[in-house]
């Protein structure tokens, strides 16, 4: 059988691409990998150490848990304390520390917290426990949003009454714009996220690339995909170009996924959102449209947004903006470890601090 | 977190646009099989296609030919350096 | 048995207890020492060195593909003895049963204990059963302890003996048990043919120790990478010996299905539990001999050399490094907490 994934993991292919990178590399550059899964893959395969000296990769704001504001994390944890509520969430959120404790701590104290792999599994919990309110913690970028939209449409079609979401979704292009507007960013090219791009397509990056004269390559997650992305960025720099190139054609059509985009539009509308590190960004969040208000946990339980107070001395906010590395954080490996994390970047498997801690830098 | 492996479609169940009984595909990769939802996929797949999957939902369909082509393009590029 | 479920009377110490013990356990596990039902068993042992170990088993689910809590409780303790180079001589078996457990299930567990004992060539010589009220335990908890005597009394196995140049061998594919349990516990709907690797390793250990003969002293460590997986065990050995280690990802055997489960759930096979695998570290000069011996045994067929011990780092803290499939390097750190499946 044709094994598609092993091809992109191939050693020879990666070696050839690395030779290409060596050849094209002329002077020190810094590229940002925007997506958390890129960060994971780069560390997992030891890619940083294989690159020529002076070619730096820095991680961007692409780990959904990491960019969620402290106020929102606290809101989630407060919500989990309500006895009639079952929290349904992706596993990464469990250990993220709020101002006082994490969801995992609350679960140990008796809160009902269910880990799901897909938002739609929340509806099965609704069916099994009709006397409870099930709240899905909707965190994630454009890739996750349509899966939540589909779940809401399914809940409506099935007349499920005890389901709602705590909508904390964020969208990528506006955050990238905020990052790029920062003149101190010092990044020479972006590896754009693979699966966010599968939904939004290549177009949203074109404006950014033009406006900020920034080379951008959409990349997949296998080692060869990432190396190819780096090679293409180097070539653009050497040619004095700043384009958007699609290095992940097997997942990303130019126009994106129109069906998913229309589902997002059907259920959600843009709003302001608060990002850890980046602060409030107009149009970078999504909220449920009026007609889907019944699924909004904020409305259903009369919640109001918490002010954001990020933990003292924690550099997560700076790390998300590539302004600092975990090694510069006074808490890293001392007060902050995966077992007792202070900031979310140490918790999420995609977080930069977690990757530094787990895989180290050689 | 994103899943890098495209999964091969073994079987398609249900109809496009049905929200009461959302359509599913049985997919396979690395010797494991699972069902994924097809509500948000860009092109409704048929048997033998590959799917890019996120959180239990297919988000993109590519044919085997497209999959091979993308690998070939990368190999060509690697050869050219 | 007439009664369908365990109830509190089964723990009373009276007739119901006696009946349960006879019909479920003695029937299957009987031997000269156990059937005396005295307060303790007398063991006739001439060796002046004894290995002694204990372990508790609380696995959920209690039945899983490739084994159950019964076989696991025997393999676990037999393997702990074997990892010290000891032949298991006698085991104890302590059970804590939750009211409401089906007697059928208990019989299945007892049956698998019986089979595991037969394969490991060891007997349970003393046992105990307690029953707790519903909700006070999770169906069945088992504790086993065991004593063993060394296959080679002159052999001193210890992580501290590990030194630069030694080779690291693993007895087969890693992560099978952990992946199976995670998958069955998670309720993640996935159809995949993997099962636990739970098995007794005393036979494999005996084959190696006897096979190397007078070279026995070149064997340094046997360890079974259970909780925390291969990564954690190697880090522990690195710390005890103060030596760095290097592993080669290409050489670490991982079944395709386990790799797939890991990829989908965002887990690393290096951190998944094994219940029928061992890591062996020995001098480079006997590596081919040891590898051959291991491969000759049913439970070591897929043995591979996966890495080597590097320099002693003295005052620094030692690290385990992995050479990745594409030639990169990364640190393999110790497991921090329960592996959590990721967002996907």
């Amino acid at each position: 059988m044709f094994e598609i994934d092993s091809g992109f993991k191939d050693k020879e292919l990666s070696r050839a691409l690395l030779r290409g990178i060596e050849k094209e590399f002329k002077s020190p550059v810094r590229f940002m990998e925007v997506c958390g899964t890129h960060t994971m893959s780069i560390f997992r395969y030891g890619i940083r150490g294989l690159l020529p000296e002076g070619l730096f990769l820095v991680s961007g704001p692409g780990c959904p848990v990491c960019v969620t504001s402290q106020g929102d994390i606290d809101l989630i944890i407060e919500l989990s304390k309500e006895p009639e509520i079952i929290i349904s969430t992706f596993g990464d959120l469990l250990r993220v520390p709020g101002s006082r404790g994490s969801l995992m701590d609350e679960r140990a104290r008796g809160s009902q917290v269910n880990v799901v792999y897909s938002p739609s599994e929340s509806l099965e919990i609704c069916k099994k426990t009709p006397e409870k309110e099930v709240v899905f913690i909707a965190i994630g970028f454009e890739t996750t949003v349509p899966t939540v939209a589909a779940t809401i449409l399914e809940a409506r079609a099935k007349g499920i009454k005890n389901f709602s979401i705590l909508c904390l979704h964020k969208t990528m292009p506006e955050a990238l714009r905020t990052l790029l507007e920062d003149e101190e960013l010092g990044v020479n090219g972006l590896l754009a996220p693979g699966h966010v791009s599968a939904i939004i397509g290549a177009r949203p990056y074109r404006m950014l690339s033009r406006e900020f004269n920034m080379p951008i390559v959409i990349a997949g997650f296998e080692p060869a995909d990432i190396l190819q992305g780096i090679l293409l960025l180097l070539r653009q720099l050497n040619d004095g170009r700043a384009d958007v190139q699609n290095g992940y054609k097997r997942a990303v059509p130019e126009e994106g996924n129109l069906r998913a985009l229309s589902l997002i539009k059907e259920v959600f509308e843009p709003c302001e959102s608060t990002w850890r590190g980046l602060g409030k960004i107009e149009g970078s969040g999504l909220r449920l449209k009026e007609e889907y208000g019944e699924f909004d946990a904020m409305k259903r339980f009369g919640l109001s947004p918490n002010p954001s107070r990020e933990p003292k001395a924690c550099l997560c906010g700076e790390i998300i903006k590539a302004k600092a590395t975990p090694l510069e954080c006074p808490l890293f490996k001392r007060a902050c470890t995966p077992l007792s994390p202070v900031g979310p970047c140490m918790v999420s498997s995609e977080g930069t601090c977690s990757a530094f801690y787990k895989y180290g830098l050689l | 977190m994103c899943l890098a492996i495209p999964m091969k479609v073994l079987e398609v169940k249900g109809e496009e646009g049905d929200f009461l009984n959302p359509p599913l595909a049985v997919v396979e990769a690395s010797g494991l099989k699972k069902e994924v939802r097809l509500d948000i996929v860009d092109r409704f797949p048929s048997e033998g296609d590959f799917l890019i999957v996120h959180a239990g939902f297919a988000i993109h369909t590519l044919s085997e030919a497209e999959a091979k082509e993308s690998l070939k393009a990368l190999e060509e590029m690697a050869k050219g350096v | 048995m007439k009664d369908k479920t365990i109830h509190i009377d089964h723990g009373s110490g009276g007739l119901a207890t006696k009946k349960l013990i006879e019909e479920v356990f003695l029937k299957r596990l009987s031997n000269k020492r156990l059937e005396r039902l005295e307060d303790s068993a007398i063991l006739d042992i001439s060796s002046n060195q004894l290995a002694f170990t204990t372990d508790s088993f609380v696995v959920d689910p209690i039945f899983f593909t490739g084994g159950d809590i019964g076989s696991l409780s025997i393999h676990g303790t037999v393997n702990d003895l074997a990892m010290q180079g000891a032949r298991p001589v006698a085991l104890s078996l302590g059970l804590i049963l939750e009211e409401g457990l089906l007697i059928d299930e208990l019989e299945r567990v007892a049956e698998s204990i019986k089979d595991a004992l037969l394969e490991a060539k060891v007997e349970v010589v003393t046992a105990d059963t307690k029953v707790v009220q519903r909700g006070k335990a999770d169906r069945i908890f088992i504790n086993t302890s065991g004593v063993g005597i060394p296959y080679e009394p002159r052999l001193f196995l210890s992580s501290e003996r590990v030194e630069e140049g030694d080779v690291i061998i693993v007895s087969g594919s890693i992560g099978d048990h952990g992946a199976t349990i995670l998958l069955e516990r998670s309720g993640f709907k996935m159809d995949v043919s993997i099962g636990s690797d739970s098995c007794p390793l005393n036979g494999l250990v005996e084959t190696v120790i006897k096979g190397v003969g007078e070279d026995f002293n070149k064997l340094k460590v046997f360890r079974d990478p259970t909780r925390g997986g291969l990564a954690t065990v190697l880090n522990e050995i690195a710390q005890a010996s103060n030596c760095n280690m290097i592993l080669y990802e290409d050489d670490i055997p991982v079944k395709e299905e386990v790799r797939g489960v890991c990829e989908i759930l965002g887990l690393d096979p290096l951190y998944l539990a094994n219940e029928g695998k061992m890591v062996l570290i020995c001098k480079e000069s006997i590596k081919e001999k040891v590898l051959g011996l291991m491969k000759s045994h049913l439970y070591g067929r897929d043995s591979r050399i996966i890495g080597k011990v590097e320099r002693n780092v003295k005052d620094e803290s030692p690290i385990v490094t992995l050479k990745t499939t594409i030639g990169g390097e990364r640190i393999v750190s110790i497991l921090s907490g329960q592996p959590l499946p990721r967002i996907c």
Side-chain angles (χ1 to χ4, degrees), chain A residues 259-302:
Chain A
R259 187 197 307 255
L261 287 172
S262 80
L263 282 179
I264 295 176
K265 238 187 187 155
E266 163 68 29
V267 178
F268 297 100
E269 61 192 12
C271 65
E272 183 185 84
S273 175
T274 305
W275 295 57
R276 189 181 295 260
L278 298 173
K280 284 198 169 92
I281 303 174
E282 189 49 52
S284 73
L286 289 169
R287 64 172 171 235
L288 283 160
K289 279 163 80 173
E290 193 61 42
E291 0 4 342
Y292 293 92
E294 59 181 298
F295 295 104
D296 189 342
M298 296 291 273
K299 288 185 184 154
R300 191 177 293 202
F301 305 105

Short mmCIF file of all heavy atoms in Angstrom, two decimals, chain A residues 259-302:
data_model
loop_
_atom_site.label_atom_id
_atom_site.label_comp_id
_atom_site.label_asym_id
_atom_site.label_seq_id
_atom_site.Cartn_x
_atom_site.Cartn_y
_atom_site.Cartn_z
N ARG A 259 -16.40 25.13 2.56
CA ARG A 259 -17.49 24.60 3.37
C ARG A 259 -17.27 24.96 4.85
O ARG A 259 -18.18 25.44 5.54
CB ARG A 259 -17.60 23.09 3.22
CG ARG A 259 -18.83 22.52 3.92
CD ARG A 259 -18.71 21.01 4.13
NE ARG A 259 -18.41 20.31 2.89
CZ ARG A 259 -19.30 19.59 2.20
NH1 ARG A 259 -20.54 19.49 2.63
NH2 ARG A 259 -18.96 18.97 1.10
N ALA A 260 -16.05 24.73 5.31
CA ALA A 260 -15.76 25.03 6.72
C ALA A 260 -15.90 26.53 6.99
O ALA A 260 -16.45 26.93 8.01
CB ALA A 260 -14.34 24.56 7.07
N LEU A 261 -15.43 27.34 6.05
CA LEU A 261 -15.53 28.79 6.23
C LEU A 261 -16.99 29.23 6.32
O LEU A 261 -17.35 30.09 7.12
CB LEU A 261 -14.82 29.52 5.09
CG LEU A 261 -13.28 29.46 5.14
CD1 LEU A 261 -12.67 30.03 3.87
CD2 LEU A 261 -12.74 30.20 6.37
N SER A 262 -17.84 28.61 5.50
CA SER A 262 -19.25 29.02 5.53
C SER A 262 -19.92 28.55 6.82
O SER A 262 -20.79 29.24 7.36
CB SER A 262 -19.99 28.55 4.28
OG SER A 262 -20.34 27.20 4.42
N LEU A 263 -19.49 27.41 7.35
CA LEU A 263 -20.03 26.96 8.65
C LEU A 263 -19.60 27.90 9.77
O LEU A 263 -20.39 28.22 10.65
CB LEU A 263 -19.55 25.54 8.97
CG LEU A 263 -20.27 24.40 8.24
CD1 LEU A 263 -19.69 23.06 8.65
CD2 LEU A 263 -21.76 24.43 8.55
N ILE A 264 -18.36 28.36 9.70
CA ILE A 264 -17.88 29.31 10.72
C ILE A 264 -18.75 30.57 10.67
O ILE A 264 -19.22 31.06 11.69
CB ILE A 264 -16.40 29.68 10.49
CG1 ILE A 264 -15.49 28.46 10.68
CG2 ILE A 264 -15.97 30.80 11.45
CD1 ILE A 264 -14.02 28.71 10.39
N LYS A 265 -18.96 31.05 9.44
CA LYS A 265 -19.74 32.27 9.24
C LYS A 265 -21.18 32.12 9.70
O LYS A 265 -21.80 33.06 10.20
CB LYS A 265 -19.73 32.63 7.76
CG LYS A 265 -19.16 34.01 7.52
CD LYS A 265 -19.33 34.38 6.07
CE LYS A 265 -18.61 35.68 5.81
NZ LYS A 265 -18.24 35.81 4.42
N GLU A 266 -21.71 30.92 9.51
CA GLU A 266 -23.09 30.65 9.89
C GLU A 266 -23.27 30.78 11.41
O GLU A 266 -24.26 31.30 11.89
CB GLU A 266 -23.46 29.23 9.42
CG GLU A 266 -24.69 28.59 10.05
CD GLU A 266 -25.98 29.30 9.64
OE1 GLU A 266 -26.00 29.86 8.53
OE2 GLU A 266 -26.95 29.29 10.44
N VAL A 267 -22.28 30.32 12.17
CA VAL A 267 -22.44 30.20 13.62
C VAL A 267 -21.75 31.33 14.41
O VAL A 267 -22.24 31.75 15.43
CB VAL A 267 -21.92 28.82 14.10
CG1 VAL A 267 -22.02 28.68 15.61
CG2 VAL A 267 -22.69 27.69 13.42
N PHE A 268 -20.62 31.79 13.90
CA PHE A 268 -19.81 32.75 14.66
C PHE A 268 -19.68 34.10 13.95
O PHE A 268 -19.88 34.19 12.74
CB PHE A 268 -18.39 32.20 14.88
CG PHE A 268 -18.34 30.93 15.69
CD1 PHE A 268 -18.21 29.69 15.07
CD2 PHE A 268 -18.43 30.96 17.08
CE1 PHE A 268 -18.16 28.52 15.82
CE2 PHE A 268 -18.37 29.80 17.84
CZ PHE A 268 -18.25 28.57 17.19
N GLU A 269 -19.29 35.12 14.73
CA GLU A 269 -18.92 36.40 14.12
C GLU A 269 -17.68 36.95 14.84
O GLU A 269 -17.45 36.62 16.00
CB GLU A 269 -20.09 37.40 14.22
CG GLU A 269 -20.50 37.70 15.65
CD GLU A 269 -21.84 38.44 15.72
OE1 GLU A 269 -22.54 38.52 14.69
OE2 GLU A 269 -22.16 38.95 16.81
N PRO A 270 -16.90 37.77 14.13
CA PRO A 270 -15.66 38.27 14.72
C PRO A 270 -15.92 39.17 15.92
O PRO A 270 -16.95 39.84 15.99
CB PRO A 270 -15.01 39.08 13.60
CG PRO A 270 -15.68 38.65 12.35
CD PRO A 270 -17.07 38.21 12.74
N CYS A 271 -14.99 39.18 16.85
CA CYS A 271 -15.09 40.09 17.99
C CYS A 271 -13.68 40.36 18.51
O CYS A 271 -12.71 39.77 18.03
CB CYS A 271 -15.94 39.46 19.10
SG CYS A 271 -15.21 37.99 19.83
N GLU A 272 -13.60 41.25 19.46
CA GLU A 272 -12.30 41.52 20.08
C GLU A 272 -11.91 40.34 20.96
O GLU A 272 -12.77 39.68 21.54
CB GLU A 272 -12.43 42.78 20.93
CG GLU A 272 -11.14 43.22 21.58
CD GLU A 272 -11.38 44.40 22.50
OE1 GLU A 272 -11.77 44.18 23.66
OE2 GLU A 272 -11.19 45.53 22.04
N SER A 273 -10.62 40.07 21.06
CA SER A 273 -10.19 38.98 21.93
C SER A 273 -8.90 39.36 22.64
O SER A 273 -8.07 40.09 22.09
CB SER A 273 -9.99 37.71 21.11
OG SER A 273 -9.48 36.69 21.92
N THR A 274 -8.75 38.86 23.88
CA THR A 274 -7.53 39.16 24.64
C THR A 274 -6.58 37.98 24.55
O THR A 274 -6.95 36.85 24.88
CB THR A 274 -7.87 39.41 26.11
OG1 THR A 274 -8.85 40.44 26.17
CG2 THR A 274 -6.64 39.84 26.90
N TRP A 275 -5.39 38.25 24.07
CA TRP A 275 -4.35 37.22 23.95
C TRP A 275 -3.34 37.40 25.06
O TRP A 275 -2.97 38.53 25.38
CB TRP A 275 -3.62 37.36 22.60
CG TRP A 275 -4.45 37.12 21.39
CD1 TRP A 275 -5.59 37.78 21.05
CD2 TRP A 275 -4.21 36.17 20.36
NE1 TRP A 275 -6.08 37.30 19.86
CE2 TRP A 275 -5.24 36.31 19.41
CE3 TRP A 275 -3.20 35.22 20.12
CZ2 TRP A 275 -5.30 35.53 18.26
CZ3 TRP A 275 -3.26 34.45 18.98
CH2 TRP A 275 -4.31 34.60 18.06
N ARG A 276 -2.88 36.30 25.59
CA ARG A 276 -1.76 36.40 26.53
C ARG A 276 -0.57 37.00 25.77
O ARG A 276 -0.28 36.61 24.65
CB ARG A 276 -1.40 35.02 27.05
CG ARG A 276 -0.41 35.04 28.20
CD ARG A 276 -0.08 33.64 28.65
NE ARG A 276 -1.25 32.98 29.22
CZ ARG A 276 -1.49 32.85 30.53
NH1 ARG A 276 -0.64 33.34 31.39
NH2 ARG A 276 -2.57 32.23 30.97
N GLY A 277 0.07 37.96 26.35
CA GLY A 277 1.25 38.55 25.71
C GLY A 277 0.91 39.63 24.70
O GLY A 277 1.50 40.70 24.72
N LEU A 278 -0.06 39.37 23.83
CA LEU A 278 -0.37 40.34 22.78
C LEU A 278 -1.45 41.33 23.20
O LEU A 278 -1.63 42.36 22.57
CB LEU A 278 -0.82 39.62 21.51
CG LEU A 278 0.23 38.68 20.87
CD1 LEU A 278 -0.38 37.90 19.73
CD2 LEU A 278 1.42 39.49 20.38
N GLY A 279 -2.19 41.00 24.23
CA GLY A 279 -3.25 41.89 24.71
C GLY A 279 -4.50 41.84 23.84
O GLY A 279 -4.73 40.87 23.12
N LYS A 280 -5.30 42.91 23.92
CA LYS A 280 -6.57 42.94 23.19
C LYS A 280 -6.30 43.20 21.71
O LYS A 280 -5.58 44.13 21.35
CB LYS A 280 -7.44 44.08 23.73
CG LYS A 280 -8.08 43.76 25.06
CD LYS A 280 -9.23 44.71 25.32
CE LYS A 280 -10.06 44.25 26.52
NZ LYS A 280 -9.64 44.82 27.78
N ILE A 281 -6.90 42.37 20.86
CA ILE A 281 -6.76 42.58 19.42
C ILE A 281 -8.15 42.57 18.79
O ILE A 281 -8.89 41.58 18.90
CB ILE A 281 -5.89 41.49 18.76
CG1 ILE A 281 -4.51 41.41 19.43
CG2 ILE A 281 -5.75 41.75 17.26
CD1 ILE A 281 -3.64 40.28 18.94
N GLU A 282 -8.48 43.69 18.16
CA GLU A 282 -9.80 43.82 17.52
C GLU A 282 -9.93 42.77 16.40
O GLU A 282 -9.00 42.53 15.64
CB GLU A 282 -9.93 45.24 16.92
CG GLU A 282 -11.31 45.60 16.43
CD GLU A 282 -12.41 45.29 17.45
OE1 GLU A 282 -12.29 45.72 18.62
OE2 GLU A 282 -13.37 44.60 17.05
N GLY A 283 -11.08 42.10 16.35
CA GLY A 283 -11.37 41.17 15.26
C GLY A 283 -10.57 39.87 15.31
O GLY A 283 -10.55 39.11 14.34
N SER A 284 -9.91 39.58 16.42
CA SER A 284 -9.08 38.37 16.47
C SER A 284 -9.75 37.24 17.25
O SER A 284 -9.14 36.22 17.52
CB SER A 284 -7.74 38.68 17.14
OG SER A 284 -7.95 38.86 18.54
N GLY A 285 -11.02 37.48 17.61
CA GLY A 285 -11.74 36.43 18.32
C GLY A 285 -13.03 36.11 17.59
O GLY A 285 -13.38 36.77 16.62
N LEU A 286 -13.71 35.08 18.05
CA LEU A 286 -15.01 34.75 17.48
C LEU A 286 -16.01 34.60 18.62
O LEU A 286 -15.67 34.09 19.68
CB LEU A 286 -14.93 33.44 16.69
CG LEU A 286 -14.15 33.48 15.38
CD1 LEU A 286 -13.93 32.08 14.85
CD2 LEU A 286 -14.89 34.33 14.33
N ARG A 287 -17.23 35.11 18.39
CA ARG A 287 -18.29 34.85 19.36
C ARG A 287 -19.48 34.26 18.62
O ARG A 287 -19.61 34.40 17.40
CB ARG A 287 -18.67 36.12 20.10
CG ARG A 287 -19.26 37.18 19.20
CD ARG A 287 -19.82 38.36 20.01
NE ARG A 287 -20.18 39.41 19.06
CZ ARG A 287 -19.72 40.67 19.13
NH1 ARG A 287 -18.91 41.03 20.09
NH2 ARG A 287 -20.08 41.54 18.23
N LEU A 288 -20.37 33.62 19.38
CA LEU A 288 -21.56 33.03 18.77
C LEU A 288 -22.47 34.14 18.27
O LEU A 288 -22.63 35.17 18.93
CB LEU A 288 -22.30 32.17 19.81
CG LEU A 288 -21.65 30.82 20.09
CD1 LEU A 288 -22.13 30.27 21.42
CD2 LEU A 288 -21.97 29.84 18.97
N LYS A 289 -23.06 33.92 17.10
CA LYS A 289 -24.00 34.90 16.60
C LYS A 289 -25.28 34.87 17.44
O LYS A 289 -25.58 33.88 18.08
CB LYS A 289 -24.33 34.60 15.13
CG LYS A 289 -23.25 35.14 14.21
CD LYS A 289 -23.28 34.55 12.85
CE LYS A 289 -24.29 35.09 11.89
NZ LYS A 289 -24.05 34.49 10.54
N GLU A 290 -26.00 36.00 17.38
CA GLU A 290 -27.24 36.15 18.13
C GLU A 290 -28.14 34.90 18.02
O GLU A 290 -28.63 34.39 19.02
CB GLU A 290 -27.96 37.40 17.59
CG GLU A 290 -29.12 37.89 18.43
CD GLU A 290 -28.67 38.29 19.85
OE1 GLU A 290 -27.61 38.93 19.97
OE2 GLU A 290 -29.40 37.95 20.81
N GLU A 291 -28.31 34.41 16.78
CA GLU A 291 -29.25 33.28 16.60
C GLU A 291 -28.77 31.99 17.29
O GLU A 291 -29.52 31.04 17.43
CB GLU A 291 -29.59 32.94 15.19
CG GLU A 291 -29.19 33.46 13.97
CD GLU A 291 -28.25 34.50 13.53
OE1 GLU A 291 -27.81 35.39 14.31
OE2 GLU A 291 -27.95 34.43 12.36
N TYR A 292 -27.50 31.95 17.67
CA TYR A 292 -27.01 30.76 18.37
C TYR A 292 -26.72 31.06 19.84
O TYR A 292 -26.02 30.31 20.52
CB TYR A 292 -25.78 30.19 17.65
CG TYR A 292 -26.12 29.64 16.29
CD1 TYR A 292 -26.05 30.45 15.15
CD2 TYR A 292 -26.60 28.34 16.15
CE1 TYR A 292 -26.41 29.96 13.91
CE2 TYR A 292 -26.97 27.84 14.91
CZ TYR A 292 -26.87 28.66 13.79
OH TYR A 292 -27.24 28.17 12.57
N GLY A 293 -27.26 32.18 20.31
CA GLY A 293 -27.02 32.63 21.67
C GLY A 293 -27.35 31.60 22.73
O GLY A 293 -26.73 31.56 23.79
N GLU A 294 -28.32 30.73 22.42
CA GLU A 294 -28.71 29.71 23.41
C GLU A 294 -27.55 28.77 23.76
O GLU A 294 -27.56 28.12 24.80
CB GLU A 294 -29.89 28.87 22.87
CG GLU A 294 -29.52 28.20 21.57
CD GLU A 294 -30.65 27.37 20.95
OE1 GLU A 294 -31.07 26.41 21.61
OE2 GLU A 294 -31.05 27.68 19.81
N PHE A 295 -26.55 28.68 22.87
CA PHE A 295 -25.41 27.78 23.13
C PHE A 295 -24.25 28.50 23.82
O PHE A 295 -23.19 27.93 24.00
CB PHE A 295 -24.93 27.16 21.81
CG PHE A 295 -25.94 26.26 21.18
CD1 PHE A 295 -26.68 26.68 20.08
CD2 PHE A 295 -26.19 25.00 21.71
CE1 PHE A 295 -27.63 25.85 19.51
CE2 PHE A 295 -27.14 24.17 21.16
CZ PHE A 295 -27.87 24.59 20.04
N ASP A 296 -24.47 29.76 24.17
CA ASP A 296 -23.39 30.55 24.75
C ASP A 296 -23.39 30.40 26.28
O ASP A 296 -24.30 30.87 26.96
CB ASP A 296 -23.58 32.03 24.36
CG ASP A 296 -22.38 32.87 24.74
OD1 ASP A 296 -21.57 32.41 25.59
OD2 ASP A 296 -22.25 33.98 24.20
N ALA A 297 -22.36 29.74 26.80
CA ALA A 297 -22.30 29.50 28.25
C ALA A 297 -22.23 30.81 29.03
O ALA A 297 -22.73 30.89 30.15
CB ALA A 297 -21.09 28.61 28.58
N MET A 298 -21.60 31.84 28.44
CA MET A 298 -21.53 33.14 29.11
C MET A 298 -22.93 33.64 29.43
O MET A 298 -23.21 34.10 30.53
CB MET A 298 -20.81 34.18 28.23
CG MET A 298 -19.36 33.89 27.93
SD MET A 298 -18.27 34.05 29.35
CE MET A 298 -17.89 35.78 29.29
N LYS A 299 -23.81 33.56 28.43
CA LYS A 299 -25.19 34.02 28.60
C LYS A 299 -25.96 33.08 29.51
O LYS A 299 -26.67 33.49 30.41
CB LYS A 299 -25.90 34.11 27.25
CG LYS A 299 -25.41 35.27 26.42
CD LYS A 299 -26.23 35.40 25.14
CE LYS A 299 -25.67 36.52 24.27
NZ LYS A 299 -25.97 36.32 22.87
N ARG A 300 -25.82 31.79 29.24
CA ARG A 300 -26.62 30.81 29.97
C ARG A 300 -26.36 30.87 31.48
O ARG A 300 -27.26 30.70 32.28
CB ARG A 300 -26.32 29.41 29.43
CG ARG A 300 -27.30 28.37 29.96
CD ARG A 300 -27.07 27.00 29.37
NE ARG A 300 -27.37 26.94 27.93
CZ ARG A 300 -27.65 25.81 27.30
NH1 ARG A 300 -27.70 24.67 27.97
NH2 ARG A 300 -27.90 25.81 26.01
N PHE A 301 -25.10 31.09 31.84
CA PHE A 301 -24.78 31.08 33.27
C PHE A 301 -24.48 32.47 33.82
O PHE A 301 -23.96 32.61 34.92
CB PHE A 301 -23.62 30.11 33.54
CG PHE A 301 -23.89 28.73 33.03
CD1 PHE A 301 -23.26 28.27 31.88
CD2 PHE A 301 -24.82 27.91 33.65
CE1 PHE A 301 -23.53 27.01 31.38
CE2 PHE A 301 -25.11 26.65 33.16
CZ PHE A 301 -24.47 26.20 32.01
N GLY A 302 -24.80 33.48 33.03
CA GLY A 302 -24.62 34.86 33.48
C GLY A 302 -23.19 35.19 33.86
O GLY A 302 -22.94 35.81 34.90
#
